[in-house]
Amino acid sequence: MNVKYYRVLMKMTQQNVADQFGISKQAISQKERGVIKFTHDQMMAFKMIVNRVYPTATIDDIFFSDTPPEDREDFIVEKIDALIQKLETIKGGNK
């Protein structure tokens, strides 16, 4: 499960996610560790949050994969594209 990985990439705390879901920080911790399961609605909501920055991330990537996202080619390409866009924005602002 890569929930914690994506949460950290999104610069979100467990408390941020807990507030979005209306549950306790402890419940998020338990869910990230697999002690209790995310509901389908929670999975969809978290995926929507992740997809704002990482549009190719799927439910499987986030909740069911044991492969770290940084090991996937599409994830690396996505990160490079985001950096290129950021550089072009900076460059465009310097004209």
Side-chain angles (χ1 to χ4, degrees):
M1 183 179 337
N2 291 311
V3 175
K4 179 179 178 181
Y5 182 88
Y6 279 104
R7 177 181 57 76
V8 171
L9 277 180
M10 301 294 299
K11 296 182 168 84
M12 295 180 76
T13 65
Q14 287 180 334
Q15 189 63 56
N16 297 141
V17 177
D19 292 345
Q20 295 240 345
F21 292 162
I23 60 177
S24 70
K25 177 183 167 188
Q26 291 77 14
I28 292 297
S29 174
Q30 290 176 323
K31 288 174 181 282
E32 285 185 350
R33 290 181 285 126
V35 175
I36 55 178
K37 294 182 181 200
F38 283 87
T39 66
H40 181 322
D41 289 344
Q42 290 168 341
M43 287 182 189
M44 294 304 293
F46 192 73
K47 178 186 175 291
M48 288 175 61
I49 293 167
V50 170
N51 285 162
R52 291 180 199 154
V53 179
Y54 303 102
T56 61
T58 66
I59 291 286
D60 285 343
D61 295 334
I62 299 167
F63 293 96
F64 301 108
S65 175
D66 291 329
T67 303
E70 69 270 13
D71 289 348
R72 292 189 358 254
E73 183 179 334
D74 63 318
F75 183 83
I76 296 167
V77 169
E78 199 170 286
K79 294 285 280 181
I80 291 169
D81 286 345
L83 288 171
I84 289 169
Q85 287 179 351
K86 189 179 268 187
L87 287 171
E88 287 174 350
T89 301
I90 293 168
K91 186 178 176 184
N94 291 332
K95 290 184 178 182

